[in-house]
Amino acid sequence: EINHSKGKFYIKTPHGEAYLLYKPAGKGKINMYHTFVPDEERGKGIAEKLAIAAFAYAKEHNLKVIPGCNYISYFVEKNSQYMSMIVFR
């Protein structure tokens, strides 16, 4: 289950919390600047689920996304349907 609190999407796992952090980045934009998944949970698609939830939130609130961490850049390369939401400043 994906949870959302201000600036954070997260999933509780047996090995700790996996999360995606974001912050406002000017009018109509957010910066998705950090993702973390515990080592034992990597490779299970958790970061992808967090990114999908975060992009759904951005779309629902008409926000553009600054890909502030490597995972978000990778995610958008693999999921081109989100490319139109990307800005770099």
Side-chain angles (χ1 to χ4, degrees), residues 76-88:
V76 173
E77 284 178 26
K78 300 293 181 200
N79 297 276
S80 61
Q81 69 268 31
Y82 297 107
M83 192 63 77
S84 64
M85 297 175 68
I86 297 296
V87 295
F88 292 100

Side-chain angles (χ1 to χ4, degrees), residues 19-22 31-37 68-72:
Y19 54 84
L20 182 156
L21 302 177
Y22 69 92
N31 182 346
M32 295 184 189
Y33 66 93
H34 186 64
T35 53
F36 174 77
V37 176
C69 79
N70 290 338
Y71 180 77
I72 295 301

